[in-house]
Amino acid sequence: MPSGKKQPKNPLQSPQNEVITEFTSSLPFDRELYFWDIVGSLAHVDALAEAGIVTQKEQKSLKSGLKSVLKSIQEGEAELLLELEDIHMNVESLLSEEIGALAGKLHTGRSRNDQGALDLRLYVRERVLETLEELMEFQKVLIRIAKKNLGTIMPGMTHLQPAQPVSLAHHLMAYWFKMKRDFDRLVGCYERLNFCPLGSGALSGSSYGIDRFELAKSLNFRGPTDNSMDSVSDRDFAVESVFCLSLIMEHLSSLAEEIILWNSPQFGFIHLSPDFTTGSSMMPQKRNPDIAELTRGKVGRVAGDLVSLLTVFKGLPLTYNRDLQEDKEPVFDAFDTAVDSLWAMRNLLSTAKFDSIRMEEACKSSNLHATDLADYLVGMGMPFREAYSLVKKMIEDSSGSGSSIDEWTIKDFQKYSTLFKDDVKGYLELKNVMNRREVYGGTSEKSVGESISLVDALAKEESSVIRKIRDDVEKPVLQLLR
Amino acid sequence: MPSGKKQPKNPLQSPQNEVITEFTSSLPFDRELYFWDIVGSLAHVDALAEAGIVTQKEQKSLKSGLKSVLKSIQEGEAELLLELEDIHMNVESLLSEEIGALAGKLHTGRSRNDQGALDLRLYVRERVLETLEELMEFQKVLIRIAKKNLGTIMPGMTHLQPAQPVSLAHHLMAYWFKMKRDFDRLVGCYERLNFCPLGSGALSGSSYGIDRFELAKSLNFRGPTDNSMDSVSDRDFAVESVFCLSLIMEHLSSLAEEIILWNSPQFGFIHLSPDFTTGSSMMPQKRNPDIAELTRGKVGRVAGDLVSLLTVFKGLPLTYNRDLQEDKEPVFDAFDTAVDSLWAMRNLLSTAKFDSIRMEEACKSSNLHATDLADYLVGMGMPFREAYSLVKKMIEDSSGSGSSIDEWTIKDFQKYSTLFKDDVKGYLELKNVMNRREVYGGTSEKSVGESISLVDALAKEESSVIRKIRDDVEKPVLQLLR
Amino acid sequence: MPSGKKQPKNPLQSPQNEVITEFTSSLPFDRELYFWDIVGSLAHVDALAEAGIVTQKEQKSLKSGLKSVLKSIQEGEAELLLELEDIHMNVESLLSEEIGALAGKLHTGRSRNDQGALDLRLYVRERVLETLEELMEFQKVLIRIAKKNLGTIMPGMTHLQPAQPVSLAHHLMAYWFKMKRDFDRLVGCYERLNFCPLGSGALSGSSYGIDRFELAKSLNFRGPTDNSMDSVSDRDFAVESVFCLSLIMEHLSSLAEEIILWNSPQFGFIHLSPDFTTGSSMMPQKRNPDIAELTRGKVGRVAGDLVSLLTVFKGLPLTYNRDLQEDKEPVFDAFDTAVDSLWAMRNLLSTAKFDSIRMEEACKSSNLHATDLADYLVGMGMPFREAYSLVKKMIEDSSGSGSSIDEWTIKDFQKYSTLFKDDVKGYLELKNVMNRREVYGGTSEKSVGESISLVDALAKEESSVIRKIRDDVEKPVLQLLR
Amino acid sequence: MPSGKKQPKNPLQSPQNEVITEFTSSLPFDRELYFWDIVGSLAHVDALAEAGIVTQKEQKSLKSGLKSVLKSIQEGEAELLLELEDIHMNVESLLSEEIGALAGKLHTGRSRNDQGALDLRLYVRERVLETLEELMEFQKVLIRIAKKNLGTIMPGMTHLQPAQPVSLAHHLMAYWFKMKRDFDRLVGCYERLNFCPLGSGALSGSSYGIDRFELAKSLNFRGPTDNSMDSVSDRDFAVESVFCLSLIMEHLSSLAEEIILWNSPQFGFIHLSPDFTTGSSMMPQKRNPDIAELTRGKVGRVAGDLVSLLTVFKGLPLTYNRDLQEDKEPVFDAFDTAVDSLWAMRNLLSTAKFDSIRMEEACKSSNLHATDLADYLVGMGMPFREAYSLVKKMIEDSSGSGSSIDEWTIKDFQKYSTLFKDDVKGYLELKNVMNRREVYGGTSEKSVGESISLVDALAKEESSVIRKIRDDVEKPVLQLLR
């Protein structure tokens, strides 16, 4: 017996067919596509009319029927039936309830193979837009915090060891640039997917003289796809979009890890808003960074979704194979996960408070000026490797004797090398150390300030890309549902 | 804005908290655990009573309250609230509606950390049982078909090239043995997971003097887990069970591939029942092997579930981290997928008809006796490599001249070697070729017959394992719900 | 004891340190980067000179020393030592053998963190170029075969069932367009990675006043990276390039599956060149499509490489962590695999012969004109769903009575509907069926012809992209090694 | 052009064949199997003699020839040729150099399909043994440290927040039990793989009357495999062993994460031996936990290996397909990685020093007695949920007023509830809190002490399992090479 969730619905069917219906039906998940399925059908009807396959009167009737079906699904009145296998057949069946036999003409010159490919592309277009918007909102929060924290010093870490002082602004802006790549990568994916497969038929192309260029245009696609056999077998856009999301999740997982660390009493760099932490059922003193932990965990979901898709598509011969039905859930899940995680982490960050005192304290007594001590010597003419060895010795002596280098006098320094001059003490002050990284992309207040200006310009470009894609997604809807 | 599916439910909450609730709540999936959560609580109440923490009266009241809650959930009357975060808190809240403040005692000496670990183990125990049963049913179908087809000859393939004749029985029994390993592997997993984590508390062990051995016994576990910090962080059993399922799916994907091939007109080895094929919306002549294709595709789901889990658990410090909430959905999905796929493929196979004529035809003219021709010569004293070269030449000459070796006279043979005697023609008959593989595990009717006898004995062992596990799963339920 | 491969090399080290050296050293794989490491160092020396950190004389001496080191490695004379941990330290050590203490200045203002990031980017740039070239060569073979086979008819398949007739040209061009996306995707990856991380120091930026824009330019990067903390932690380009390769492998795995099928006697559509098949050690009659099978299998390698990288990067805090050392081998392996597979499959295809007779035969008796029969009726005014049902009945009757529809008279047709006219017989001829798919992207000779013209133009664009990238990769080498 | 590494070796071959040889040859990796290939052949020769297929004299000659070949490979004298495709053909070719035409008899009744399956099983048997030994060594180190630290208190963490005090012993013993499952899981895998496929021929079984039971026994297998078609297609043991290794790596990655945290100055719980940390090329003050980071990263390798295998095997029809050649490298790599990582982490741990002062300090001021405060009240009769709320308030008041609960007088307590008595202060002392977890598996010194006793007994069982497997692996070698 299959898993308990199965319940017969149609008394005329044999029990076996029941379960088979459940096993094969894609309705439980592809119902999410109903809106785009109907929008696609509206465009198809126009193309059929254009080609003279349906009359103007039929066109009108088909379109108003489709709109009624849309309304009845949106309002929860339409009953979608598992037995009808998928969302396409359900819509057609509802349409024939509305307008009778004429509904039969809707599927002319079209197959579920090109129709299904279309629906998923329309869906992904919309979700890409949503993700880009979320990325941009996140970047805004990062800039906002960065602008206030150009001079807030914290230990920059390598190997989870304090290494060199950096500003909180610089640290957070690292994520800004990671998200910029996420943004661009997703736009690249969008550009590759923004073609219309409709008219490819089952696999060899429609024979009804449909103008695929016009059809593509009516849905704001850049054009029709170029080869019908490719069109009905291609799911590159599904895998690629999930891959883009998996990298977004990787970036969020790093940020989440940092927030979990910073939120531990051992670090104490951050205070999360109570809205974004939870307590323990047993230990009332706890304030757990659950949002960050869940986000870190959810990278696994999207990696899993990606592997699912890569596994499904392996070794499939052309063209459509039913295996491809397994393309949808991973895509839906990955978008849900990434969009929600971006939203949650953005708000977590936006409502958090940073503890600049704890951060600065963590810089001290960690010899974060060690590199600079070597650089100082190099500046005075010593080869780097020699300077490096000397500084290593100084640090060992310092921790051996328990006297912090910060407290050394100039004489203490000169015991090691006469290259040390009076200015060495000021040279080693944390703020000076930080601000000496004036190179492009460095952590100095000046560099980060410049970086933020640059980023303001890049943000404008992002906005205009989003506007363009929003047009692609929304305009056909306005036009076709008019 | 997060994905559209979110809708406020409690007007008193701020919109932000709404979405955070949705992001963090595990109720949408862990509600699947309600039954086992309550069973676990019933056992916990007994343990509390045993330890003198609740009185006998309280015990009675708590247990009858829990049973009412169970009933109200089962009958769909209880309202489970997202805001209460998870199934545990929902059950406790419903309990307090039933019995008032006393409900507060239920959580004594327990944490959601050990409780959640318990629930998932109870769940996996049951699903393992279900999967084992499905495997055994599948094996029965294989034996049934095999018994009828000891002498049905088909081309055994390597590299998708006909290689040597085998019986359909032998071919299908290969899957029997693959499933035997699947069975044993899952039983091994079961044995490792069949320990009770309750009493581990949040992480360091309960301080309430609960007898964990008795508690484990009351739920038919083999014993308590051995280390509380391990107990609340361990999800090995989740990953291991999903891995076992992923191998089951791999085996099914191979069988599915073969059925898809056999069902193509090019092979024509099998006729699937119309109940297990579907038509095309555009091409009425098609009979598509959708069940097999979907099953082949679904191997991707389970591989993805496995990767999800492995990714989630990577690099987590002890003990409980909220990332672990991501442990459930992949497990649920993998069991659903494997159990349903086993069911569907079993019925597909069980209702299919094999075309023994097409299978035998495919053996002919493919020189499937080539190995035996070489063996014949080896039997007459020629070294194998030499015989191999000679046979290669004979085959090339045969296909060059268009005269099939089957039609050669004994003289034709002797042109190549005088080692050929009159008996060579009979030696090369397909049935004889097949039946010469008399070695243990070979394809001869004798060997396969023996194999089936062996397998009947192994099936009895499987039955008794299943009975034992069924006891573990069902007895505590009977006892605690009495 | 660790795996047997370990053997002490330096008698002064304790055994333990030996093995630790082996465990931590990246030399066994990052030695592949020696060329780019030295090229990067040459550019760095120029930047140091520009910034006045080394004198012109020192610059000259450092550069000629580096070129000597390069030569001695290329000629196999230099001994690279495991104990020196990685390729960077080895090069520096060899340099100091060449030019003495001055070598110590090479590392000024640089860390292994930005240096390692640079080397890998330079490596990936070159391998991307190589992959793009392979993709284009493959596409050329596809076009060449397609041009000769516009009229070669074969059964277009869905669900591995013959569905509609298509041309071999159309079928192969589907892969052309898949590879076009592979090409563009990889170019997008290239554009995102083509920035120079050097000058980012250990994590917070160099303090030596290096002009990062000039430095980037000298290596033909589009510019410097924008944030030093991002620069030393970012491995997006590694994962993204491996992802692009994994999709290439997916496409090849589909083609490989088809070739394996076509090469089976059951299909018999293709004859592979003996150079690209292998025999069996036991069955001399076999001609196995090993190249295609291996390619299909190798998709697993690259999927595995991708998962490795995604797993490694999960949850790493900023900035550099030693985990990142695990970034290289998957990248190397994925490029090796994809480039070799493209090469092998291209040559396999290029030397294969197609059996147009077997392909056309496979179209007959499969009712591949069923869709058109329905279309015919639709053209006469019948709604699609009604026509579909009628055709289904006709096909059932035909196979029931054993009389092929191809042999029906016009009267036979008219028994089903008077809409059938005399022209129906011609309408159903395979070539006509195929050529009616005149829609853009369809399988008609006209459409595919147009498609090939389009593709010739796209190929020119590809060439010019490759030329541009070749400049990026090669020009700095010519300049710096001058 | 394929990747640069290719270089022609045999001037008689055309360039194309060269590269094809490289693409298809498995020699570069399967040479690792030479030892087991020859051992397997020695057993096969005995079986041939037993069956009367070779004479006693031939047997003697074949065996001494094989031993010479073994010796010449071991001593690096034999030249293995890529053109001979794999290790099997190379051994046979070397053998014929030794003993001439008689070598041709070696392959009688055997195919590379069953031979290759045998070799990999023999290899995995040995590596499983090695891994089990490493696991046991690791467990010994854990026990050794635990025994000394029953009373060493540290903060037990959930959500990386201090939650309850635990002993270092208890914490480390959690890993002991994780490794126990790893041990048992691998033994289960071993039991399933310990069957001999030899005699299965190419796919349908040998026709030479070989006694497969005797043959299996001579190699200390439990018996022969049961179905020849399963035998040559089955790679379950490869995937399963890699899965077991991936869980070992998951456990190590958690421990690695903890060590990285503990080694940060923020935690400061551990001091790693300088032998197991490395410095920075730029920051001389750093002591980086590279071994732990690399181990954490290497979990990605093994996860990748697992995905590779699962992908390769998806959808393969029976029986042998060349895709299966991709089975070896992931297996080799996974064993190398896991064995080396176990070794490295064991020694890292074994040479580390724990800072009990820092650990105890971290417990204080974190209100780790909060649960117990609630338990105290519950003990006095208050329902748990009510006690929980009251304690939460006490903690909030305490941190609000800046007065630690540790410093409260009994009167301060009684302001909240008159249930508090004089004994509450002692009740809350860290050691008492810890030692109250006396439940089985809890953190009290008593419980952990018991646990260690139990574990000593389990370790004996492990030893005896290892002894048994060592016999399986080593005895046939001694016998056959005698």
Side-chain angles (χ1 to χ4, degrees), chain B residues 41 60 112 140 177 216 252 269 272 278 317 359 370 374 384 398 405 418 425:
Chain B
S41 285
K60 214 172 153 184
R112 279 188 289 178
K140 279 184 197 163
F177 287 102
L252 289 182
F269 290 1
L272 301 180
T278 58
M359 292 196 291
F384 178 76
S398 144
I405 289 176
T418 53
K425 297 279 294 175

Side-chain angles (χ1 to χ4, degrees), chain B residues 334-348:
Chain B
F335 274 109
D336 285 349
T337 303
V339 167
D340 290 0
S341 299
L342 281 167
W343 187 92
M345 286 293 284
R346 163 163 63 90
N347 284 286
L348 173 76

Side-chain angles (χ1 to χ4, degrees), chain B residues 13-65:
Chain B
Q13 272 188 314
S14 64
Q16 186 176 97
N17 283 351
E18 280 298 312
V19 189
I20 284 305
T21 298
E22 295 233 19
F23 188 74
T24 57
S25 179
S26 56
L27 187 66
F29 46 89
D30 74 7
R31 63 188 310 153
E32 194 149 346
L33 298 174
Y34 79 90
F35 181 82
W36 292 116
D37 191 70
I38 291 171
V39 168
S41 285
L42 288 166
H44 182 61
V45 168
D46 285 349
L48 290 178
E50 202 73 33
I53 295 155
V54 301
T55 64
Q56 266 193 302
K57 209 184 132 196
E58 288 172 329
Q59 173 189 21
K60 214 172 153 184
S61 168
L62 280 161
K63 289 185 79 173
S64 95

Side-chain angles (χ1 to χ4, degrees), chain A residues 29 112 185 249 251 260 279 349 441 448 456 480:
Chain A
F29 46 89
R112 278 189 289 178
R185 199 176 288 118
M249 291 305 294
H251 296 153
I260 292 163
L349 202 63
V448 179
D456 280 337
L480 290 162

Side-chain angles (χ1 to χ4, degrees), chain A residues 158 257 280 286 293 388, chain D residues 158-159 257 280 286 293 388:
Chain A
T158 58
E257 172 88 3
S280 153
K286 301 281 293 301
E293 290 172 277
Y388 177 89
Chain D
T158 58
H159 308 265
E257 172 88 2
S280 151
K286 301 281 294 298
E293 292 171 277
Y388 177 89

Side-chain angles (χ1 to χ4, degrees), chain B residues 113-272:
Chain B
N113 296 353
D114 55 350
Q115 186 183 1
L118 173 68
D119 291 5
L120 193 56
R121 282 176 190 244
L122 289 167
Y123 173 89
V124 171
R125 284 206 318 186
E126 185 191 27
R127 299 304 305 266
V128 165
L129 173 60
E130 192 184 356
T131 313
L132 293 174
E133 287 169 340
E134 274 299 330
L135 281 168
M136 211 174 70
E137 289 306 311
F138 205 118
Q139 289 177 314
K140 279 184 197 163
V141 169
L142 291 168
I143 295 185
R144 187 167 55 68
I145 305 177
K147 281 184 176 166
K148 290 190 219 144
N149 288 285
L150 289 172
T152 311
I153 300 180
M154 68 188 299
M157 301 271 198
T158 58
H159 309 265
L160 205 64
Q161 300 276 315
Q164 293 174 345
V166 298
S167 71
L168 175 58
H170 193 52
H171 191 127
L172 292 179
M173 288 305 290
Y175 286 100
W176 196 98
F177 287 102
K178 290 183 194 297
M179 289 190 177
K180 178 69 171 76
R181 285 191 301 276
D182 289 331
F183 190 98
D184 292 349
R185 200 176 288 119
L186 211 41
V187 170
C189 169
Y190 181 86
E191 278 165 10
R192 267 180 289 289
L193 82 83
N194 193 23
F195 293 89
C196 181
L198 212 55
S200 299
L203 76 154
S204 65
S206 168
S207 57
Y208 281 87
I210 285 167
D211 183 338
R212 294 188 62 216
F213 290 90
E214 275 309 308
L215 182 48
K217 210 168 150 187
S218 75
L219 290 162
N220 267 44
F221 281 109
R222 207 174 126 197
T225 55
D226 297 298
N227 177 295
S228 61
M229 293 183 80
D230 177 35
S231 301
V232 297
S233 61
D234 169 34
R235 293 297 185 274
D236 286 7
F237 64 97
V239 202
E240 188 177 357
S241 61
V242 171
F243 168 71
C244 293
L245 300 171
S246 80
L247 270 194
I248 292 174
M249 291 306 294
E250 292 277 338
H251 296 153
L252 289 182
S253 82
S254 286
L255 182 56
E257 172 87 3
E258 298 202 302
I259 286 171
I260 292 162
L261 290 171
W262 296 345
N263 184 56
S264 76
Q266 272 67 34
F267 280 78
F269 290 1
I270 203 171
H271 302 287
L272 301 180

Side-chain angles (χ1 to χ4, degrees), chain A residues 155 157-164 257 260-261 263-267 269 278-290 293 296 307 310-316 323 362 366-371 374-375 384-385 388 391-392 395-396 437, chain D residues 155 157-164 257 260-261 263-267 269 278-290 293 296 307 310-316 323 362 366-371 374-375 384-385 388 391-392 395-396 437:
Chain A
M157 301 272 197
T158 58
H159 308 266
L160 205 63
Q161 300 276 315
Q164 293 173 346
E257 172 88 3
I260 292 163
L261 290 171
N263 183 57
S264 76
Q266 273 66 36
F267 280 78
F269 291 0
T278 59
S280 153
S281 68
M282 213 168 152
M283 296 163 291
Q285 86 279 14
K286 301 281 293 301
R287 276 279 142 218
N288 298 325
D290 294 71
E293 290 172 277
R296 186 177 57 183
V307 168
L310 288 171
T311 309
V312 169
F313 302 142
K314 179 226 163 182
L316 290 190
D323 316 52
S366 283
N367 291 312
L368 293 198
H369 36 41
T371 317
D375 285 350
F384 178 77
R385 285 291 172 213
Y388 177 89
V391 170
K392 199 168 175 189
I395 288 170
E396 281 163 7
R437 269 71 189 167
Chain D
M157 301 272 198
T158 58
H159 308 265
L160 204 64
Q161 300 276 315
Q164 292 174 347
E257 172 88 2
I260 292 163
L261 289 171
N263 184 56
S264 76
Q266 273 67 35
F267 281 77
F269 290 1
T278 58
S280 151
S281 67
M282 212 166 152
M283 296 163 291
Q285 86 278 17
K286 301 281 294 298
R287 276 280 139 220
N288 299 326
D290 295 70
E293 292 171 277
R296 186 177 58 183
V307 168
L310 288 171
T311 309
V312 169
F313 302 143
K314 178 227 163 183
L316 290 190
D323 317 51
S366 285
N367 291 311
L368 293 197
H369 36 41
T371 318
D375 285 350
F384 179 76
R385 286 289 173 214
Y388 177 89
V391 170
K392 198 168 174 189
I395 287 171
E396 282 164 5
R437 270 73 189 167

Side-chain angles (χ1 to χ4, degrees), chain B residues 158-159 257 280 286 293 388, chain C residues 158-159 280 286 293 388:
Chain B
T158 58
H159 309 265
E257 172 87 3
S280 152
K286 302 281 295 298
E293 291 171 276
Y388 177 89
Chain C
T158 58
H159 309 265
S280 152
K286 302 282 294 300
E293 291 172 276
Y388 177 89

